[in-house]
Amino acid sequence: MERQRNISEFILLGLSYDQNMQIFCFVLFLFCYIALLVGNLLILVSIRCSPLFHQPMYYFLSHLSSMDICYTSSVTPKLIADLLGGTKTISYGNCMLQVFAMHFFGSIEVFVLTVMAFDRYVAICRPLHYMLIMNRARCHLLVLAAWAGGALHSFPQLSMTIQLPFCGPNEIDHYFCDIFPLLKVACTDTYIIGVLVVANSGMVALVTFVVLFVSYVIILFSLRHHSAEGRHKALSTCGSHITVVILFFGPSIFAYLRPPTTFPEDKVFALFYTIIAPMFNPLIYTLRNAEMKNAMTKVWCQTLFSRKAHN
């Protein structure tokens, strides 16, 4: 492999060559990243320090917030730093690590969203058996399955990427290392690998989206038999989930479920599933969720009160 790879780093062409645009993007994405970290950490701490952690939906939401932080942190800090730098380079090892981290944490997030849809299905369609079906042992098992699914998805992706020979040029027309841009600069025929990537990433995104779509259709259909108050509460919760699914899966399906090639629009769509959707998750799950807002208010008011009393 070392004989086939005579480059030690890649040059990322980034989002734009315009200096003013780069400064604007730096400010924008720095704000987005800080908002993402603060929002998801608020959700994590609020759930962990309140009785909500013992409810399956919020247990899964805490894992989703963790994945948001890990997933976005594999790309965004590097992007922000590059927007102020000159030549945007990344070593071969860090590039491969970024490919793995993106697909590992991203696929875990996909599977956690699927688990959350299953949780809502049981809560709305089988309310009398909800706590029996979604007991803590089964919740742990579902989260473990999401991590196992992430590993099964990402290790083959990494294996295929590591085997690619790179002998120049080393310019990647993107702001992070991903498989399709790397296929474009590999000095070998990448058609088969491209098809395998589509079969892996593309089908995971599509099948999961279809499963989620069907789940929420069944849930919404079953709400006809609930009271007006029950419908409103269920629609509020499911509406949050559906918004997250659309923001995340729409751009992902466009990026991976197509012939293995690259388009200029890829970078714009990638911003949605790497930065924008994870940033909006805390807002979507808190602003439309009374229980979450109450828990956050109690936890942080108690913290401030305790600190003042201590002083």
Side-chain angles (χ1 to χ4, degrees):
M1 178 54 58
E2 208 48 50
R3 291 195 302 271
Q4 294 177 322
R5 176 173 61 84
N6 57 13
I7 61 172
S8 58
E9 65 180 18
F10 295 99
I11 298 173
L12 300 169
L13 298 184
L15 293 169
S16 173
Y17 294 106
D18 183 80
Q19 188 64 32
N20 292 327
M21 180 59 72
Q22 289 192 46
I23 293 171
F24 170 77
C25 288
F26 168 80
V27 174
L28 175 63
F29 296 134
L30 180 61
F31 168 79
C32 290
Y33 187 56
I34 292 172
L36 181 147
L37 290 177
V38 171
N40 281 296
L41 285 172
L42 279 173
I43 287 179
L44 272 172
V45 174
S46 299
I47 291 175
R48 294 276 178 173
C49 298
S50 74
L52 290 181
F53 184 67
H54 301 290
Q55 296 184 31
M57 184 179 81
Y58 297 101
Y59 172 73
F60 297 134
L61 179 56
S62 67
H63 282 281
L64 182 68
S65 292
S66 301
M67 288 305 103
D68 275 341
I69 294 171
C70 295
Y71 174 62
T72 306
S73 295
S74 65
V75 171
T76 309
K78 170 67 176 166
L79 168 63
I80 293 169
D82 284 346
L83 286 167
L84 283 186
T87 304
K88 306 165 182 64
T89 60
I90 184 170
S91 68
Y92 176 85
N94 286 339
C95 184
M96 295 301 110
L97 180 62
Q98 196 172 62
V99 169
F100 173 76
M102 276 285 298
H103 285 271
F104 182 60
F105 293 119
S107 54
I108 292 174
E109 182 162 348
V110 164
F111 296 131
V112 170
L113 284 170
T114 309
V115 168
M116 291 175 76
F118 174 71
D119 171 71
R120 289 302 84 201
Y121 166 78
V122 176
I124 294 168
C125 300
R126 303 285 299 279
L128 298 178
H129 301 91
Y130 177 66
M131 293 311 296
L132 182 63
I133 295 172
M134 299 303 295
N135 57 58
R136 186 41 60 105
R138 185 166 282 115
C139 289
H140 288 323
L141 193 61
L142 287 169
V143 169
L144 184 62
W147 278 78
L152 286 173
H153 164 74
S154 55
F155 277 107
Q157 302 283 76
L158 177 64
S159 177
M160 287 187 289
T161 310
I162 286 177
Q163 293 180 47
L164 290 172
F166 297 102
C167 44
N170 64 339
E171 290 185 341
I172 299 175
D173 188 16
H174 216 303
Y175 63 89
F176 66 92
C177 286
D178 202 5
I179 297 179
F180 281 167
L182 284 168
L183 290 180
K184 194 172 181 180
V185 298
C187 48
T188 186
D189 183 8
T190 59
Y191 177 78
I192 299 298
I193 294 178
V195 171
L196 292 173
V197 171
V198 172
N200 188 335
S201 296
M203 291 309 296
V204 165
L206 180 63
V207 170
T208 310
F209 178 75
V210 170
V211 169
L212 289 169
F213 179 79
V214 171
S215 299
Y216 285 116
V217 167
I218 294 171
I219 290 169
L220 295 174
F221 187 75
S222 70
L223 288 176
R224 297 174 306 147
H225 308 296
H226 287 64
S227 65
E229 184 182 351
R231 281 200 300 270
H232 176 74
K233 184 177 180 181
L235 284 172
S236 178
T237 304
C238 291
S240 303
H241 294 194
I242 291 168
T243 305
V244 170
V245 166
I246 291 171
L247 278 173
F248 189 85
F249 280 91
S252 300
I253 290 171
F254 172 82
Y256 294 107
L257 194 67
R258 65 170 198 227
T261 184
T262 57
F263 297 108
E265 297 82 9
D266 286 350
K267 289 182 273 190
V268 176
F269 278 96
L271 290 173
F272 278 91
Y273 60 81
T274 58
I275 301 173
I276 295 172
M279 180 192 70
F280 278 115
N281 280 0
L283 293 174
I284 290 167
Y285 281 111
T286 54
L287 292 180
R288 301 188 61 184
N289 190 314
E291 286 183 323
M292 193 69 234
K293 284 189 284 188
N294 291 336
M296 291 177 74
T297 302
K298 287 180 181 177
V299 168
W300 295 104
C301 284
Q302 286 175 1
T303 303
L304 290 173
F305 180 77
S306 299
R307 185 168 293 177
K308 286 181 180 178
H310 180 73
N311 292 335

